[in-house]
Amino acid sequence: MLIIGSHVSPYVRKVLVALAIKGLIHEVDPITPFFGNDEFSKLSPLRRIPVLIDGDLVLNDSTVICEYLDEAYPQPLLMPASPADRARARWMEEFADSRLGDLIIWRLFYRRIVAPRVYKLAPDEAEIAKVTDVELPAAMDWIEERAPAEGFLFGHLCIADISYACFFRNALLAGWTIDAARWPRTAAWIARVEAVPAFADTIRFETAIVSSPMAERREALIAAGAKLSEKTYGEAAPRASIMLG
Ligand SMILES: N[C@@H](CCC(=O)N[C@@H](CS)C(=O)NCC(=O)O)C(=O)O
């Protein structure tokens, strides 16, 4: 199996953690989506990561990919057992992927980390402050009401737990951390998810990426133990996002 996409993307990380928990051997082509080549555009029509290639099957979207993995390789299951809990888990995951995606990825991480490095754009601190001081805290209040007091959302670890922890890694990389005094249940729950070995193992790849210049990232990832594909769908110059316009 091949996963196209950088380990730092929360959507890619979700898939990589699922693969690791299921013990599925895979390689990664760790590209930042903006650097995808024409072949990448064919595989990923929205030019987004992750993409999973499993034989002749090409899948887009982390939720679609994780549901495929759970059905094709059910040991251990990463969705709850009952239809009602499965539906609840999908909604929790959707809230993270959409709302935390919008706040943490597009309006915080993209502005503070991606745009300055990839497009040489200065971050708009006033816009960032709206996210960190107003909108993200409102989302955190919603999450805090639903965070489990112990264990995970639906008993055993599921994709929704993993999804939340992935977004908070990107928040941390962009300088925002969960205030444990204000959102104690969420802070403790996310710490439990991060401590799961398959999740904790991803941190060294994140460190390798954020601490090396673009040209040295492959070597840094290999040195950290990542299994990378020889073929890459990346190219040297970035293109504009078709999703951000
Ligand atoms: N719903 C998608 C979202 C994937 C996504 O937005 N990935 C980001 C990277 S974190 C991306 O590829 N962005 C490039 C762009 O939108 O131009 C999923 O769950 O996979």
Side-chain angles (χ1 to χ4, degrees):
M1 268 188 244
L2 173 68
I3 300 297
I4 305 174
S6 165
H7 301 71
V8 164
S9 157
Y11 304 99
V12 172
R13 196 194 298 252
K14 190 208 301 187
V15 170
L16 295 178
V17 173
L19 286 165
I21 289 174
K22 289 173 181 291
L24 297 171
I25 294 167
H26 57 279
E27 291 184 343
V28 179
D29 175 15
I31 63 166
T32 302
F34 315 106
F35 291 87
N37 61 17
D38 288 337
E39 259 188 290
F40 174 67
S41 302
K42 288 195 187 120
L43 293 173
S44 181
L46 303 181
R47 287 183 58 81
R48 289 192 146 176
I49 54 171
V51 178
L52 173 140
I53 304 180
D54 188 9
D56 61 2
L57 178 68
V58 177
L59 293 178
N60 302 96
D61 193 280
S62 61
T63 303
V64 172
I65 294 170
C66 287
E67 293 215 4
Y68 163 70
L69 292 175
D70 224 34
E71 288 172 14
Y73 307 95
Q75 290 308 321
L77 272 177
L78 286 175
M79 285 294 279
S82 78
D85 276 350
R86 291 168 82 81
R88 288 186 186 106
R90 287 189 181 105
W91 166 234
M92 286 303 289
E93 181 182 355
E94 173 56 21
F95 185 88
D97 286 358
S98 296
R99 188 60 178 149
L100 294 186
D102 184 39
L103 294 170
I104 294 177
I105 298 307
W106 307 117
R107 294 168 60 198
L108 176 59
F109 186 80
Y110 179 83
R111 281 180 179 147
R112 191 165 269 166
I113 308 288
V114 179
R117 291 185 195 182
V118 174
Y119 301 112
K120 314 292 174 229
L121 294 171
D124 181 336
E125 290 301 334
E127 285 300 317
I128 289 176
K130 270 194 228 163
V131 173
T132 53
D133 301 351
V134 182
E135 293 186 64
L136 189 48
M140 292 302 294
D141 290 342
W142 188 89
I143 295 165
E144 180 71 5
E145 280 179 33
R146 287 150 186 89
E150 54 190 39
F152 303 108
L153 284 167
F154 301 96
H156 68 81
L157 182 79
C158 83
I159 285 291
D161 299 290
I162 297 166
S163 193
Y164 280 83
C166 292
F167 284 99
F168 291 120
R169 287 307 304 176
N170 288 75
L172 177 75
L173 293 172
W176 189 91
T177 47
I178 301 173
D179 179 348
R182 192 165 171 193
W183 301 292
R185 286 166 71 118
T186 308
W189 163 50
I190 296 304
R192 288 193 293 277
V193 181
E194 286 201 356
V196 170
F199 195 102
D201 231 33
T202 64
I203 311 290
R204 63 200 160 110
F205 304 133
E206 163 197 305
T207 309
I209 291 171
V210 298
S211 59
S212 8
M214 187 86 79
E216 291 163 27
R217 281 193 191 150
R218 279 185 71 90
E219 288 65 36
L221 278 167
I222 291 167
K227 278 195 73 181
L228 303 189
S229 60
E230 268 177 38
K231 177 180 166 72
T232 181
Y233 292 88
E235 63 186 10
R239 303 183 190 181
S241 162
I242 64 169
M243 296 303 286
L244 294 177

